[in-house]
Amino acid sequence: MKDALLVIDAISDFGHEDGGKLLASFRERLPAMREALARARESNISVVYVNDHHGRWDGDARGLLEEALGGDGGDVIGELAPRPGEPFLLKPRYSAFDHTALELLLRELEVERLLLAGGATEACIVQSGIDARELGFKVTILAGACATIDEELEQLSLRYAAEVAGIRVE
């Protein structure tokens, strides 16, 4: 079974209403995020980034990365940034699959199981996991490697993902 680590919404300048809470959570969970990336890269597991486009309709993922590196969480972003050659797709909605080429890319890579990391758990992570299951992928949410804005809502959404959507939560 071929796996891919899907890093969702890890690139941000945190300049939004809940940005401070989200950045604090990213800082707290950064060790687990670094570990997930290191394990995937050492094991030759594909690492694929899908990120909110933050209102950019020019498709310039690298420009978005440069802006985020200069933002409040630039130190965190520097540790989570994609390496050359790792796919970096932009998305307009919560789900990494909604109006993106992600499914096409994963099928081309012959991926069967997705490991999800990034943020925010209760929004984009769980929604992407549900959509992935609907498309026939096996899904594992690496909960310790996911940031949140609201820990209570995060726990509720992880429970829903596991009990209703059949997503594995580690």
Side-chain angles (χ1 to χ4, degrees), residues 77-93:
I77 303 306
E79 295 198 50
L80 300 176
R83 291 187 177 169
E86 291 177 336
F88 188 3
L89 306 174
L90 297 179
K91 65 180 183 66
R93 303 200 177 153

Side-chain angles (χ1 to χ4, degrees), residues 97-139:
F97 291 91
D98 193 356
H99 291 79
T100 72
L102 181 58
E103 182 183 6
L104 296 171
L105 172 64
L106 296 173
R107 300 288 185 213
E108 185 174 300
L109 296 172
E110 299 177 350
V111 170
E112 296 176 47
R113 183 172 73 125
L114 296 173
L115 308 169
L116 305 185
T121 308
E122 62 276 10
C124 301
I125 298 293
V126 169
Q127 187 61 53
S128 296
I130 291 168
D131 285 355
R133 289 281 294 149
E134 291 293 318
L135 293 168
F137 293 99
K138 294 175 178 69
V139 180

Side-chain angles (χ1 to χ4, degrees), residues 22-39:
L22 189 59
L23 178 55
S25 183
F26 264 95
R27 288 190 192 289
E28 178 185 321
R29 297 172 184 194
L30 185 58
M33 292 178 187
R34 277 194 305 249
E35 181 183 330
L37 282 164
R39 258 185 309 176

